[in-house]
Amino acid sequence: MEFSGNTIRQETGRLFKALEEFEYSWEDCERLAPVTLEIHHLKREKNAIILAHSYQTPDIKFGVADSIGDSYGLSLEAKETNADIILFSSVLFMGETAKIINPTKTVLVPCQSGCSLADSVTAEDVRKLRKAYPNAGFVAYINTSAEVKAEVDACCTSANAQKIVENMPQKEVVFLPDKLMGENLRPLVSKKLIIWDGTCIVHEEISALEVKSVQEEYPNASIIAHPECQPEVVQMANFTGSTEEMLHFFASAPEKEFLLLTECGLAERAQKEHPEKKIVGTCHLCPYMKKIRLQHILKALKNPSSNQMIQIPEEIRKRAQKSLEEMFRLHNKDE
Ligand code: 13P
Ligand code: SF4
């Protein structure tokens, strides 16, 4: 697609304003401009929206996304959108979630990018667990495949795990696949939890030692953790929640210095939205989330490959939808 020199210059200026703080040069933005222009053109032409997780790179989040958020918020947007095409710029399980609740829409993912949690458990594993724990309720974190979602009673996200588990009718709940999130939930719920052995390779890497060393340097910093972190890290935190809840706490807390214990993309967003606050300490990169490039998004919107188009066998989709609908129902209970 050809664009005039003036159009390219204007788009370069827009991108530079949004991305300069992330060390994109004018030349970088000039190189990206024809790509983002074509993406915007295709979005309009095809009535498509781009939902991007906060862990995506700045050029995606601030250059082409229509909405940025956490798994729960983006699932809700996917549920309510009028767009004909949903492009989910994130790992595969989030795109699958959008397709499960929107069977008639085209749902695209830029790359078939996995996730250490979603890849740690299969539908067959859940069927075996069902036999071992016939009286238990089964809750799957949203970071699971469509096949796994089809085998459980309800899904949850980091924004509602406690509420969903607590509202299960059974006394015993099998929680999968995140071992660390399960351990963090244990003291917060009245249920007997049986926990699967998966971990997020990004959050499990964050150590209490690392947090202590930042605390020594910044004793007044408020610590905000994701519930996929190790329990000893979560115990050190002033607040624990989903990425969107972390951002909300960051925005409304009176402190000036913060340690955000999650993937680097959230800190980028937090800093952009609140330049008056200081984020101290290191962050960690998710190799799965960071696989996605603008060029993958362009290709998916223009001429998607079969790998970029989410297809789920109807029998699995319907059962997975029940688990997601149960999550939405329990999430809104007593509200
Ligand atoms: P959130 O739903 O909190 O954004 O978490 C998704 C995720 O993959 C965290 O690692
Ligand atoms: Fe999966 Fe962890 Fe990456 Fe989130 S941060 S997508 S849980 S590997």
Side-chain angles (χ1 to χ4, degrees), residues 39-263:
I39 290 173
H40 284 298
H41 171 82
L42 288 164
K43 280 200 297 185
R44 283 191 299 274
E45 187 184 73
K46 301 191 173 191
N47 188 25
I49 56 160
I50 298 181
L51 305 179
H53 190 268
S54 291
Y55 296 166
Q56 293 293 279
T57 53
D59 51 353
I60 295 176
K61 283 194 294 253
F62 310 120
V64 296
D66 296 290
S67 216
I68 314 170
D70 65 359
S71 318
Y72 186 75
L74 293 175
S75 305
L76 263 190
E77 294 225 19
K79 197 168 179 242
E80 284 159 11
T81 181
N82 292 322
D84 297 316
I85 298 176
I86 301 169
L87 185 142
F88 219 127
S89 193
S90 186
V91 285
L92 181 61
F93 73 79
M94 292 197 201
E96 283 189 340
T97 301
K99 182 68 182 177
I100 292 165
I101 50 192
N102 282 296
T104 58
K105 291 188 197 285
T106 300
V107 178
L108 304 169
V109 285
C111 296
Q112 281 252 359
S113 192
C115 161
S116 67
L117 274 176
D119 298 343
S120 73
V121 63
T122 65
E124 185 51 28
D125 293 328
V126 186
R127 287 193 285 270
K128 282 188 189 148
L129 280 170
R130 284 268 191 206
K131 284 191 187 134
Y133 299 98
N135 299 321
F138 276 64
V139 176
Y141 188 29
I142 199 157
N143 298 35
T144 44
S145 66
E147 288 79 6
V148 165
K149 288 185 177 76
E151 297 293 334
V152 298
D153 302 309
C155 292
C156 72
T157 75
S158 50
N160 57 26
Q162 182 183 353
K163 192 164 185 188
I164 305 297
V165 169
E166 199 54 27
N167 276 315
M168 293 298 287
Q170 298 85 353
K171 288 197 178 87
E172 197 178 56
V173 173
V174 174
F175 181 81
L176 53 95
D178 192 345
K179 176 175 76 178
L180 300 177
M181 185 181 280
E183 289 303 342
N184 288 323
L185 272 175
R186 232 189 251 290
L188 307 177
V189 294
S190 64
K191 309 287 172 176
K192 178 173 185 251
L193 287 185
I194 298 118
I195 301 169
W196 188 248
D197 197 19
T199 53
C200 160
I201 55 163
V202 179
H203 290 90
E204 76 172 337
E205 280 281 293
I206 301 170
S207 70
L209 207 66
E210 179 186 336
V211 180
K212 267 189 206 129
S213 83
V214 179
Q215 258 183 330
E216 272 164 23
E217 205 178 334
Y218 299 97
N220 299 322
S222 179
I223 301 172
I224 311 179
H226 194 275
E228 290 170 13
C229 290
Q230 300 176 37
E232 53 181 350
V233 168
V234 165
Q235 278 152 25
M236 295 167 89
N238 300 82
F239 176 80
T240 304
S242 78
T243 50
E244 207 57 28
E245 291 171 329
M246 290 173 77
L247 201 61
H248 189 257
F249 182 87
F250 169 81
S252 47
E255 288 88 352
K256 293 271 177 294
E257 292 171 340
F258 296 85
L259 181 55
L260 297 189
L261 300 175
T262 188
E263 212 269 351

Side-chain angles (χ1 to χ4, degrees), residues 22 53-58 61-62 68-69 202 243 247 260 262-273 279 283-286 289-290:
F22 305 110
H53 190 268
S54 291
Y55 296 166
Q56 293 293 279
T57 53
K61 283 194 294 253
F62 310 120
I68 314 170
V202 179
T243 50
L247 201 61
L260 297 189
T262 188
E263 212 269 351
C264 305
L266 190 75
E268 286 165 357
R269 211 184 134 199
Q271 198 66 89
K272 188 173 184 62
E273 291 173 15
I279 297 174
C283 64
H284 294 242
L285 285 170
C286 172
M289 288 276 186
K290 296 300 199 247

